Amino acid sequence: MTEPSTTVTTIADGIARISWTGEEPIDVIRHNVVAALADHARVEALVDPDDEGAQRAATWSGLRREGVMRGVTVDGAPVDRIVYARLATDTPLHEPEGFRALLNSFLPRKRAIGQMLVRDRDGRVLLCHLTYKTDWDLPGGVVEVNESPRVAVGREIKEELGLDIAPGGLVLADWLPAWSGWDDAVCLVFDGGTHDAALTETIVREAREIRTAEFCTPAQVRDRCADFTARRIEAALANVDAGRGPSYTESGR
């Protein structure tokens, strides 16, 4: 049986890499991290994604999770490794901010998408034909880090269509499972109100992302959109038409 041991190696100017074998006590790993930071600006560890024990040890020794490095060569073969690190400038763990930052580094995060349901007086829905996919979708986009979903959808409408439409209330929360290279996400649909059909004449397209934007009938929505998008729009319309509050769906169901 391999005896527990910890190794600290300087791999670049100001950067140390720490590794351990066996069931090394967390206190020992933590002590080595602190000692290494006396002479280095950064201490990092590369941890096997399948080794949950090593991931726990990295975390509770004070190393923050930074992401996954793909294709690292180990014993001549490419493998993935989770990168954990601590900087000399990080807030100490005994302070609340430091502990919260540690937790924040490894707790799950979920992508959020903000979209707007904009209709004309005939009940048609504003759809965008995007440059990077064949199907049509509601106007909107991904919520940036530390951005309100409501602010995000207003920003996206302004940037991509040149429209100043204040987002109304939430109409629908739709969860999208992981699909075709995408992680799962939550799509929040906000009410964009009812407008004259001539609204489309004022659109200024962001040509890199928007081919065209049109008001579409329910039949055109089903024909032009992916099935889950069509279901989402139909669910959002049902809520608005019934005058009820937002509902929750999964892929529009």
Side-chain angles (χ1 to χ4, degrees):
M1 180 178 294
T2 303
E3 289 294 324
S5 65
T6 299
T7 303
V8 178
T9 306
T10 299
I11 61 169
D13 187 24
I15 302 176
R17 181 168 296 164
I18 185 169
S19 60
W20 56 92
T21 59
E23 296 295 325
E24 185 74 297
I26 291 174
D27 286 346
V28 173
I29 302 173
R30 184 186 298 121
H31 172 79
N32 279 275
V33 169
V34 172
L37 285 173
D39 301 314
H40 301 83
R42 172 186 172 90
V43 176
E44 65 180 33
L46 304 183
V47 178
D48 187 338
D50 295 325
D51 191 341
E52 295 183 1
Q55 293 175 49
R56 286 194 295 271
T59 297
W60 299 120
S61 63
L63 300 171
R64 299 185 191 178
R65 177 173 172 141
E66 295 186 338
V68 177
M69 185 183 296
R70 299 181 301 146
V72 180
T73 300
V74 175
D75 297 329
V79 297
D80 293 347
R81 288 292 181 262
I82 303 174
V83 181
Y84 289 85
R86 185 160 189 82
L87 307 183
T89 55
D90 285 344
T91 305
L93 290 179
H94 64 266
E95 296 184 17
E97 181 182 344
F99 185 67
R100 287 193 295 266
L102 178 67
L103 294 180
N104 187 65
S105 75
F106 69 85
L107 289 175
R109 300 182 184 187
K110 197 171 296 292
R111 181 175 292 113
I113 300 168
Q115 292 189 327
M116 187 178 287
L117 184 70
V118 180
R119 298 181 294 167
D120 70 3
R121 305 192 193 287
D122 293 323
R124 297 181 300 173
V125 176
L126 184 64
L127 292 182
C128 295
H129 191 194
L130 306 174
T131 59
Y132 48 86
K133 61 181 183 179
T134 57
D135 48 290
W136 295 51
D137 209 341
L138 290 172
V142 174
V143 180
E144 300 291 345
V145 176
N146 296 322
E147 183 181 37
S148 152
R150 186 188 298 273
V151 169
V153 72
R155 172 184 55 76
E156 288 282 351
I157 298 296
K158 177 64 175 177
E159 291 176 354
E160 296 186 353
L161 300 177
L163 298 176
D164 283 308
I165 301 177
L170 183 66
V171 174
L172 185 75
D174 187 35
W175 177 73
L176 303 174
W179 174 79
S180 189
W182 288 105
D183 289 339
D184 72 320
V186 174
C187 182
L188 302 174
V189 182
F190 293 89
D191 188 5
T194 301
H195 303 263
D196 191 276
L199 178 73
T200 55
E201 298 174 9
T202 68
I203 287 175
V204 180
R205 291 181 302 110
E206 209 301 309
R208 290 174 298 180
E209 296 197 34
I210 308 294
R211 287 193 178 98
T212 188
E214 300 175 11
F215 280 113
C216 298
T217 64
Q220 289 173 317
V221 169
R222 288 188 293 272
D223 181 60
R224 295 179 176 184
C225 297
D227 56 355
F228 58 88
T229 301
R231 289 193 300 268
R232 181 189 313 133
I233 294 171
E234 289 166 359
L237 283 171
N239 287 343
V240 171
D241 291 340
R244 58 177 175 247
S247 61
Y248 169 79
T249 57
E250 296 186 355
S251 287
R253 295 188 176 93

